[in-house]
Amino acid sequence: MKRFIRQLRACTLATLLPLAPLAATHAAPPTAAANQEIEHLIVHLRNSGCEFQRNGSWFDSKQAADHLRKKYDYLLRKDWVATAEDFITRAGSESSMSSKPYQVRCANQAAEPSATWLRTELERYRSARK
């Protein structure tokens, strides 16, 4: 029984510890422009046809976009995202459960960190809107 309790505590800490930095940081709600950028990133991922790796498994772009949408909705409820950069850092970069970085792999290209892939698209999107 003691072993079970120790394992339960360790599991609880492993789950909650990655969220600790977020708990202390409340952000203002995203502006309309920031929300539009975040929506663009999610839709762009969905339509990209790229694969998305999280926790060692590869998922198609629709599953990846759905996953990031759920994380974004959670962050919104907690007031933990105000900008597209917040979204990338807190939702699109790594697993909040394992802290393993996400990867994106597009046709005939090497996998790259999802944070890099998302930031590149955000820069492209912002440049195109100017």
Side-chain angles (χ1 to χ4, degrees):
M1 183 65 156
K2 288 182 182 180
R3 183 176 178 208
F4 172 76
I5 292 171
R6 277 192 301 251
Q7 288 176 332
L8 183 60
R9 283 183 189 152
C11 183
T12 301
L13 283 175
T15 301
L16 297 177
L17 198 55
L19 298 176
L22 298 177
T25 309
H26 288 281
T31 64
N35 191 58
Q36 187 174 13
E37 290 175 342
I38 295 165
E39 290 298 325
H40 169 77
L41 291 173
I42 293 170
V43 170
H44 178 73
L45 176 60
R46 176 181 297 278
N47 296 334
S48 71
C50 298
E51 294 177 294
F52 191 86
Q53 184 188 59
R54 63 182 169 93
N55 296 321
S57 298
W58 288 97
F59 298 88
D60 67 32
S61 58
K62 181 187 179 312
Q63 291 169 310
D66 290 346
H67 177 69
L68 292 188
R69 163 85 53 219
K70 287 177 189 170
K71 286 184 78 171
Y72 179 48
D73 291 343
Y74 176 79
L75 293 171
L76 283 173
R77 287 192 304 274
K78 297 293 185 177
D79 291 329
W80 288 342
V81 62
T83 66
E85 287 81 5
D86 289 343
F87 168 75
I88 292 168
T89 300
R90 295 180 173 163
S93 296
E94 65 182 34
S95 169
S96 56
M97 299 300 279
S98 69
S99 298
K100 290 182 180 180
Y102 294 149
Q103 298 281 315
V104 175
R105 180 175 62 194
C106 299
N108 300 320
Q109 296 179 1
E112 65 179 303
S114 61
T116 302
W117 191 88
L118 290 166
R119 284 188 189 106
T120 299
E121 178 53 27
L122 179 59
E123 290 173 18
R124 190 206 61 76
Y125 179 75
R126 285 176 173 167
S127 293
R129 293 185 46 90
K130 289 182 180 178

